[in-house]
Amino acid sequence: MRQLWRGAAIATMDGTSPWGWMADGALLAEDGRIVWVGPADAVPADARNDEVIDLHGGVLLPGLVDAHTHLVYGGDRAAEFERRLQGISYEQIAREGGGIRATVSATRSATDEDLLHGALRRARALRAEGVTTLEIKSGYGLTEADEARCLRVARAVGAATGQTVRTTALPAHALPPEYAGRADDYIDAVCTWLPRWQAEGLVDAVDAFCERIAFSPAQVERVFEVARALGLPVKLHAEQLSDSGGAALAARFGALSADHLEWLSDEGIAAMAAAGTVAVLLPGAFHFLRETKLPPIERLRAAGVPIAVATDHNPGSSPTLSPLLMIHLACTLLRLTPEEAVAGMTREGARALGLADRGTLQPGQRADLAHFDIDHPRTLAYAFGQRPTCRTWVAGRETA
Ligand code: NIG
Ligand code: FE
């Protein structure tokens, strides 16, 4: 099966020239893989195409990669948002047993169908803005059975929407109430769950929340040791509310990414640079928690740490379903350039998931494509809230 896309500008995002820009481009794929990309007037003449997709303008980009989401949960936290605006902090709410734990109880009491229905709606909303690959974490079940249920739902999302879903086990997200005062016992239990989930094929990576309201570096390390023994890559919610040294710990385990990073230290940056750990920035949580401390963008750039951008969709700190708004906020709030922000949700997002076969438009890559009705990709960062018309293809197949 050979397909030709033409009639649009192309931004390959391959990092070798600004945007990988071609004002009038064409792209050929064979059996779902890109075999040629170039200017429209240079399409190989011998090409016999089974399908020609004339895009009638707009820009063709790599399908967006959302490398950090918590899409599977019950309930919402709109009332908590109101409380925060009455002056009670996110941390204080968490300490009182609300926050993540409120979503845990709503998730435990939701049926599988409820969880799938909610997660599907959210995944489709992401796709409507170009997302063809997304990561989904557990972390709101916090029992062996409820976490596994959430991971199964995450797998079912991918099967239903055609998007690639990478699942991440995040049982070390918060201490469940039944383990109050016994965090180390909870970590012991988590360490016994991971091998069983892996045996069931539920886990692609392991994450934890390293923070004073969550788990200590020593506790996270125990979870990471198990992940390493199982051959599973790790990533970490690190330095979101304080500097706990999480990023350096993650880097020591060769983590795919360390995420949030507002309080990241120079030692953390150096360790990430040496390990090739991607910095995943989450402007939605930064905005929604009215954070004022910026992640150290200049120093990350100077150290050559790859920077990704993700939605962090979750009910407590980032209830957004708009990856394009995150691209915008990455520019206005965090001061990324538009090209860095778009690369953060394509090439670097793929890198943060350890996926080498997508995120740019180059021969050999999967034909995961997003077409937007805009004149230039910088418009994705500029025209916030405008939601351009978008079509997506996964491995050459248009998503419905
Ligand atoms: O990525 N930081 C920890 N986890 C989520 C928030 C979870 C919640 O508040 O429900 C995050 O921001
Ligand atoms: Fe998160």
Side-chain angles (χ1 to χ4, degrees), residues 30-176:
E30 235 172 78
D31 300 328
R33 293 250 162 208
I34 298 170
V35 291
W36 182 89
V37 191
D41 58 13
V43 179
D46 60 330
R48 284 229 345 257
N49 303 307
D50 303 298
E51 187 186 9
V52 176
I53 299 122
D54 204 326
L55 294 165
H56 305 289
V59 180
L60 192 64
L61 281 144
L64 301 187
V65 179
D66 190 350
H68 182 141
T69 86
H70 309 245
L71 277 198
V72 182
Y73 58 85
D76 70 43
R77 306 239 291 278
E80 174 183 313
F81 176 56
E82 285 188 316
R83 286 191 72 210
R84 283 203 289 112
L85 286 163
Q86 287 152 8
I88 302 148
S89 75
Y90 181 75
E91 257 188 274
Q92 193 177 337
I93 290 166
R95 288 185 200 289
E96 290 167 2
I100 294 174
R101 271 174 287 251
T103 301
V104 169
S105 86
T107 303
R108 287 179 180 177
S109 56
T111 64
D112 291 4
E113 291 68 36
D114 290 340
L115 292 176
L116 181 59
H117 182 78
L120 272 178
R121 180 183 68 77
R122 295 172 197 130
R124 290 192 171 117
L126 297 177
R127 192 183 59 199
E129 290 193 1
V131 172
T132 51
T133 296
L134 64 151
E135 184 249 23
I136 300 182
K137 302 174 195 294
S138 67
Y140 292 117
L142 310 188
T143 64
E144 181 173 6
D146 284 301
E147 288 284 293
R149 215 154 69 86
C150 293
L151 291 166
R152 279 184 214 112
V153 166
R155 285 271 186 254
V157 167
T161 68
Q163 291 157 305
T164 299
V165 170
R166 302 294 284 177
T167 59
T168 299
L170 176 57
H173 193 199
L175 190 62

Side-chain angles (χ1 to χ4, degrees), residues 68-70 137 170 173 207 237 260 282 312-314 317:
H68 182 141
T69 86
H70 309 245
K137 302 174 195 294
L170 176 57
H173 193 199
D207 191 355
H237 285 74
H260 286 287
L282 305 170
D312 190 19
H313 173 87
N314 76 73
S317 71

